[in-house]
Amino acid sequence: MTTFPLLAVLLPFLAAFAGLLLSRWPHQRPAAAIHPPRPATIHPPPHGSGSDTAPQTAATDGQRANARAAWLAILPTAASAVLAAWLAWDPGFAFLAGTTTAPQPTGQTYGTVTTGAIPISLTLQADPLSSLLGVLVTLVALAVQVYSVGYLKDDPRYPSYSAFISLFTSAMLLVVYAGDLLVLYVGWEIMGLCSYLLIGHWWEDRGNSRAAVKAFLVTRLGDVGFLFGIFVLGQAAGSFRIADVLAKVPEMSTATTVTATMLLLAGVAGKSAQVPLHTWLPDAMAGPTPISALIHAATMVAAGIFIVARLFDVFREAPPTMDVLAVVAALGMLGAALAALAQDDLKRVLAYSTVSQLAYMAGGLAAGSDTSAIFHLLTHGAFKALLFLCAGAVIHHVGSNLMTQMGGQRRELPITFVTMTIGFAALMGIPPASGFFSKDAILAAMDDALATGTLTDAAALLLYGCGLATVAVTGAYATRAWLRTFFGEARAVALPEPEPGTAHVVDVTEAPRTMLVPLILLAVPALLLGFAGELHVDLGVAAISVVLALLGAGVVYAFWRIDPIADPARLLGPLRAPCEQAFHVDQLYAALFVRPVLALARLVVRTDDVVVDGAVRGSGRSARGLAGVLRLAQNGNVQLYISGILAGVLLIAVGAVVFA
C-alpha cells in the first residue's frame, strides 16, 4: 500500500501522455476540422455522392480517435479511483468521526533533491485528510470523463480535452498526496495550466479565450504570495516536509506564522475564488460544462480549502490571519449568494453559488473547525458536480445557458429533473440531503466561535450573521433556478447552427446514457453522504437553518406564483442591477488596475517609439544630413575647389597680418 499514492498520481498522468500522443494514431484528423460539432438535427447528405467519401472517412477517423481517447482517459481514472478508495477506507471514517487516534500516514519517499540549502523531499503519502480528498477528486474526475463522452461526442478536439482532464486530475492528486510543500506546489501550478487549457477549449470564441487568460492571470497573482509563504515556512522549519513544518510550529514566532499564513492566504483566495480574487470563476463558465463541474467540485477551488486544512496547525497559531479569513469568508458567502440570485445564466448561478459555498468552508476553518469545513467540501463536491452536470444536460437539450429560454423541462427531462432537485436540496441544506448535515456543522462551529472567543468579537459576529443570512439567500436563488428551469411553460428555441463554444442541440427527450449514468450515481452521495459523518446535529442551529432556507424559498415561490413568466429576482428591487453585475467588482478592478496598467503600457510603448527609437532614427537622419552638407563640397567642380583653396589662403594671410 505504500506505493498506492504514487500509482494514484501516475495513472492519470500516463493517461494524459497516452491521450495526447496515441489517441490519433495511426489516423490523422484533417487540419480543417477545427470547429465544434454541429447539432444532431443536421442530416447528412444523401448517399451515392462521390464527394461524400472524404468527409465520411474523416468523420470515421475522428470517431475512432475520440473512442480511443475516451478509453485511454476513463480506465486509468477508474483504476486511480479504486486505489484512492482503498487508501481512504479506514482513515477517511476516522477523520469524519473526529477520532484522535487516526491511522498513521501511508506513503513513501522516492528521493531527495539537493538545493544547496533546504532539500526537497520527493514524498507522497496518504493520511486521513488526503485520503478523503483523493476519493473526491478521482470519483468526480471519473464522472466528468464518462459524462464528456456524450457531451462532446463529435468534438474534433476531444482527445486533447480528455487528456488535459487526466493531467488536471493527476495534478490535483499530487497536491493532495504530496508530503513536501514544494512537491505540492508543482501540482498546484500544473492545475493552473490545465484550467487555462480547458476553460479555453472553444478558443474560437474570443470570450472563451479571454476567460481562460483571466483565470490564469488572477490565480497566478495569488500564487506569488503562496510561493513566498512556502519559503517562509520552509526557512522557519528548516524543511519543506509538511510533517516537519507542523512539528516545528510551536517553536515559530507569531510574526513568522502570521507572515507565512497571510502569504498562503493569497494563494488560497486565488485558487478557491475568494474575495478579492474571486472574479475569475464566474467567467470560467465559458468552458465546457463538464470542466465547470470538475473545477468547482474537486480540483482548483477545492485545493485552497484543502491547503488551509492541511496546514491548520499553522493557521491556528496566527489569530490575525484567522480574523482576516473570517471577514473574507463573511463577505464572500453573502455577496456571492446575492449575485447568484440575480443571474440569468444557469451556469453563472452555480458559479457564484460555488464562491458562496467555498466561503462557508473558509468560515468553518476560521471558526476553528477543520473537520466541518472538509465535511462540507466533500458534500459540496458531490452535489455541486451533480448540479453542474445536470445543468449541462439541460443546456445540451435546450441549446442555451439562459433560464429565460428554459422552463417546463421537468416533462422533457424527468431524470435530470429528479437528480437536479436532489442537488438543489443539498445546496439549500434541506434534510436529509447531505448539505444539511455539513452546513449545520459549519454553522454550529460559527456559533461556538461566537461563544468561545476564538475570533475577535466583531469578526465572529460578522461571520455568523452573514452565514445565517446566506442560508436564506441560498434557499432563494436555488428555488429560483429550479422553478425557472423545470416549471412553467417551455420557452426553448433550438439553435440550427450553434456558434463555436455553444452547447449542442439534440432532438431527444433525455441526454445520452453516458451523461445520465453519472447524474444518477452522483445523486446518491448528494443525498446520503451526510450520514457518513459523526451525525451530531445541533437541533437549535439546524432548526434556524432550515427555517431560513424555507423562508428564502417561500418568498421566491410567492413572487414566481404571482407571475410565472417574470423573473423572481425582481424582489431585489433597486439592488438587482448591482447584484447582477456582482457589485461591479470587475469594473472597479478595471478602473483601479487594468486601465492604469494599459495607460502605463501605452506610455512605455510611446516612450520607446519616440525617445529610444527616435534617438536611433535621429542619429541616422543627422548622419544623412551631415553627409548631404559634405556632398555639396564634393561635387566634382574643379573651379569650386580652386576657389575654396584661394579663399582659405586669403583667410590665413589676413589672419596672419591681423594677429601678427
Side-chain angles (χ1 to χ4, degrees), residues 622-635:
S622 300
R624 292 181 63 183
L626 180 61
V629 173
L630 294 175
R631 188 169 61 248
L632 295 176
Q634 297 293 328
N635 58 3

Side-chain angles (χ1 to χ4, degrees), residues 76-305:
T77 305
S80 185
V82 172
L83 293 174
W86 186 286
L87 287 170
W89 181 252
D90 286 335
F93 284 110
F95 184 87
L96 289 179
T99 304
T100 56
T101 58
Q104 292 299 314
T106 299
Q108 189 173 342
T109 299
Y110 298 95
T112 301
V113 177
T114 303
T115 63
I118 302 174
I120 303 172
S121 176
L122 304 180
T123 302
L124 295 177
Q125 65 181 33
D127 54 24
L129 174 60
S130 63
S131 62
L132 279 177
L133 267 295
V135 174
L136 173 66
V137 172
T138 53
L139 290 182
V140 173
L142 179 60
V144 167
Q145 290 280 22
V146 174
Y147 183 94
S148 298
V149 173
Y151 193 81
L152 297 172
K153 179 181 178 182
D154 299 317
D155 194 301
R157 288 195 295 270
Y158 173 79
S160 60
Y161 165 89
S162 61
F164 291 145
I165 291 180
S166 296
L167 183 60
F168 209 158
T169 306
S170 178
M172 181 61 187
L173 289 174
L174 183 60
V175 170
V176 167
Y177 290 127
D180 187 279
L181 288 174
L182 288 180
V183 174
L184 180 152
Y185 186 74
V186 172
W188 185 274
E189 289 299 331
I190 293 175
M191 280 197 297
L193 171 64
C194 292
S195 67
Y196 167 76
L197 295 171
L198 290 168
I199 293 169
H201 176 72
W202 286 318
W203 49 262
E204 296 90 350
D205 186 276
R206 183 169 176 80
N208 294 353
S209 60
R210 290 172 67 90
V213 171
K214 182 177 181 179
F216 186 81
L217 293 179
V218 173
T219 54
R220 294 290 75 68
L221 180 63
D223 290 350
V224 174
F226 186 79
L227 180 59
F228 280 95
I230 290 176
F231 289 158
V232 172
L233 284 180
Q235 185 66 36
S239 172
F240 289 114
R241 286 176 60 97
I242 295 175
D244 295 342
V245 170
L246 296 179
K248 291 285 186 178
V249 169
E251 303 175 14
M252 296 182 188
S253 65
T254 302
T256 299
T257 56
V258 171
T259 302
T261 52
M262 285 292 191
L263 290 169
L264 291 173
L265 204 58
V268 170
K271 274 292 189 289
S272 288
Q274 293 300 288
V275 176
L277 301 179
H278 65 286
T279 56
W280 68 270
L281 192 60
D283 289 349
M285 298 304 95
T289 303
I291 295 308
S292 302
L294 185 65
I295 291 175
H296 286 246
T299 50
M300 286 275 286
V301 298
I305 301 301

Side-chain angles (χ1 to χ4, degrees), residues 2-13 76 79-80 83 110 124 173:
T2 57
T3 60
F4 278 16
L6 176 63
L7 291 175
V9 173
L10 278 181
L11 284 172
F13 177 79
S80 185
L83 293 174
Y110 298 95
L124 295 177
L173 289 174

Side-chain angles (χ1 to χ4, degrees), residues 417-649:
F417 168 65
V418 173
T419 53
M420 200 167 191
T421 300
I422 293 174
F424 277 130
L427 173 62
M428 293 169 61
I430 302 299
S434 60
F436 164 75
F437 297 98
S438 58
K439 189 174 291 187
D440 172 76
I442 288 180
L443 291 173
M446 293 178 183
D447 186 37
D448 291 341
L450 189 62
T452 58
T454 55
L455 298 170
T456 59
D457 292 342
L461 184 60
L462 177 66
L463 180 64
Y464 192 39
C466 288
L468 292 177
T470 305
V471 171
V473 181
T474 301
Y477 73 70
T479 303
R480 170 179 173 263
W482 183 64
L483 291 172
R484 300 200 73 203
T485 302
F486 294 107
F487 291 85
E489 296 298 325
R491 298 181 292 274
V493 179
L495 303 178
E497 286 283 330
E499 297 295 328
T502 303
H504 315 162
V505 183
V506 295
D507 55 356
V508 294
T509 56
E510 272 285 10
R513 187 175 300 176
T514 53
M515 294 172 63
L516 289 180
V517 171
L519 301 186
I520 297 171
L521 295 179
L522 283 172
V524 176
L527 182 62
L528 302 177
L529 187 58
F531 294 99
E534 194 177 359
L535 291 181
H536 172 71
V537 177
D538 188 312
L539 294 180
V541 173
I544 295 174
S545 174
V546 172
V547 168
L548 288 174
L550 293 178
L551 177 63
V555 171
V556 166
Y557 178 76
F559 273 79
W560 177 83
R561 189 70 177 173
I562 294 171
D563 186 359
I565 302 298
D567 190 346
R570 65 186 187 278
L571 65 88
L572 289 170
L575 284 176
R576 181 175 180 179
C579 288
E580 190 173 5
Q581 295 297 320
F583 304 101
H584 304 284
V585 175
D586 272 320
Q587 291 85 339
L588 177 63
Y589 287 170
L592 293 179
F593 303 109
V594 178
R595 285 197 285 272
V597 168
L598 290 176
L600 179 61
R602 285 191 289 268
L603 176 62
V604 170
V605 170
R606 182 67 177 167
T607 303
D608 180 68
D609 183 59
V610 174
V611 179
V612 180
D613 289 348
V616 175
R617 290 192 294 266
S619 62
R621 286 193 297 267
S622 300
R624 292 181 63 183
L626 180 61
V629 173
L630 294 175
R631 188 169 61 248
L632 295 176
Q634 297 293 328
N635 58 3
N637 190 330
V638 177
Q639 291 87 345
L640 180 63
Y641 297 163
I642 294 173
S643 299
I645 292 173
L646 293 175
V649 171

Side-chain angles (χ1 to χ4, degrees), residues 355-378:
V355 177
S356 179
Q357 295 302 306
L358 289 167
Y360 260 117
M361 302 169 206
L365 291 167
S369 177
D370 57 335
T371 304
S372 65
I374 294 300
F375 187 22
H376 194 56
L377 179 61
L378 294 175

